């Protein structure tokens, strides 16, 4: 799915939202390795990010060419800051009204309102595509993400206890949140 490139002003900085280009595959791999190392709240550690440039190019193209998923990159004053995405369920017709959401920024761009701006745009696009419900999971303890999701209308609807096990032997729950579109 493609969006029209859009610019916003965020506290005096220019934010650009647009689709990814296939020639940005290496940039996205480097980003994933960095953001997964900056927080324990993402799905894996940096050593588990093993995509090749070709795989990442295919990933970008699959998002751009699909009618069911959207990947949006954010740039602040020309610097890549992170991305957000949604993916509609395609398995069964009964699930086709649901879209799963993801977002991650480099730490240096967090806490400035960018996540909220991106999330609003993403939800707007998902609603425009006809999705009726947005869903996501976050790791218990990710206060900023929880606050962001609450502030754009998500509500907690369940938990998976001990969904994440860390190398130090500790666990963290996954929290499910949902929002009608
Ligand atoms: C989670 C994430 C997307 C949030 O985006 P962000 O740009 O940092 O958040 P924003 O600045 O837009 O703030 C969103 C809300 O959280 C609040 N907030 C900001 N920093 C906070 C903090 N440290 N603790 C609690 N709330 C905080 C803001 O006040 C705002 O709420 P409000 O609109 O009611 O004032 C971003 O921090 C991030 O990518 N983190 C690393 C990866 C990650 O955790 N991804 C999510 C996985 S589920």
């Amino acid at each position: 799915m493609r969006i029209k490139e859009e610019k916003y002003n965020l506290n005096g900085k220019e934010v650009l939202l647009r689709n990814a280009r296939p020639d940005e595959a290496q940039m996205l791999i480097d980003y994933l390795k960095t953001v997964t190392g900056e927080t324990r709240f993402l799905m894996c550690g940096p050593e588990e990010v093993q995509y090749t440039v070709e795989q990442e190019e295919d990933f970008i193209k699959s998002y751009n060419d699909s009618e069911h998923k959207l990947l949006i990159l954010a740039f602040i004053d020309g610097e890549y800051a992170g991305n957000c995405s949604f993916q509609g369920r395609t398995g069964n017709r009964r699930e086709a009204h649901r879209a799963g959401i993801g977002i991650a920024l480099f730490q240096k761009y967090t806490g400035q309102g960018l996540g909220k701006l991106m999330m609003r745009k993403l939800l707007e696009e998902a609603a425009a595509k006809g999705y009726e419900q947005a869903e996501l999971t976050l790791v218990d303890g990710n206060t900023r993400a929880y606050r962001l999701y609450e502030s754009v209308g998500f509500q907690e609807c369940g938990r998976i206890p001990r969904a994440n096990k860390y190398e130090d032997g500790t666990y963290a729950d996954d929290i499910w949140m949902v929002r009608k579109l």
Side-chain angles (χ1 to χ4, degrees), residues 17-34:
L17 300 187
R18 64 162 172 82
N19 294 117
R21 300 188 304 246
D23 66 3
E24 291 173 319
Q26 186 62 57
M27 180 184 87
L28 290 192
I29 294 170
D30 295 343
Y31 145 86
L32 261 185
K33 286 188 176 156
T34 301

Side-chain angles (χ1 to χ4, degrees), residues 103-105 110-116 137 142 144-145 147-149:
I103 183 167
L105 308 177
T110 60
Q112 303 172 30
L114 180 60
K116 197 160 184 174
T137 59
N142 194 352
R144 187 156 51 197
R147 180 70 212 120
L148 166 65
Y149 302 145

Side-chain angles (χ1 to χ4, degrees), residues 4 16 39 75 91 100 105 117-118 122 132 147 161 181:
K4 217 170 83 194
L16 170 70
T39 170
F75 296 81
L105 308 177
L117 189 158
M118 293 165 73
L122 193 69
E132 295 174 27
R147 180 70 212 120
L181 294 169

Side-chain angles (χ1 to χ4, degrees), residues 10-166:
L10 185 68
N11 312 318
K13 293 180 179 167
E14 183 192 88
V15 172
L16 170 70
L17 300 187
R18 64 162 172 82
N19 294 117
R21 300 188 304 246
D23 66 3
E24 291 173 319
Q26 186 62 57
M27 180 184 87
L28 290 192
I29 294 170
D30 295 343
Y31 145 86
L32 261 185
K33 286 188 176 156
T34 301
V35 292
T36 52
E38 287 180 332
T39 170
R40 62 189 238 144
F41 297 135
L42 292 172
M43 68 293 183
C44 67
E47 68 289 346
E48 292 175 282
V49 177
Q50 304 251 341
Y51 303 111
T52 64
V53 171
E54 292 71 32
Q55 285 170 328
E56 194 65 18
E57 279 172 3
D58 288 345
F59 172 85
I60 292 169
K61 286 180 201 156
S62 79
Y63 267 80
N64 289 347
D65 297 343
S66 169
E67 279 306 300
H68 304 289
K69 45 191 186 177
L70 172 64
L71 174 65
I72 301 177
L73 269 48
F75 296 81
I76 292 199
D77 284 343
E79 295 285 315
Y80 176 52
N83 73 51
C84 63
S85 60
F86 78 74
Q87 182 159 15
R89 292 201 176 225
T90 52
N92 304 310
R93 282 200 303 273
R94 289 179 185 175
E95 297 181 333
H97 59 297
R98 300 164 60 188
I101 303 280
I103 183 167
L105 308 177
F106 288 114
Q107 277 302 310
K108 67 186 271 206
Y109 296 113
T110 60
Q112 303 172 30
L114 180 60
K116 197 160 184 174
L117 189 158
M118 293 165 73
M119 192 54 81
R120 282 188 169 142
K121 173 69 179 166
L122 193 69
L123 294 173
E124 191 184 299
E125 292 292 330
K129 264 287 163 192
Y131 288 101
E132 295 174 27
Q133 181 158 303
E135 302 171 9
L136 55 82
T137 59
L138 72 150
V139 178
D140 190 19
N142 194 352
T143 321
R144 187 156 51 197
Y146 194 95
R147 180 70 212 120
L148 166 65
Y149 302 145
E150 256 193 343
S151 77
V152 294
F154 282 87
Q155 287 183 324
E156 182 174 336
C157 59
R159 280 177 180 250
I160 300 186
R162 300 175 308 282
N164 305 275
K165 183 175 182 183
Y166 297 95

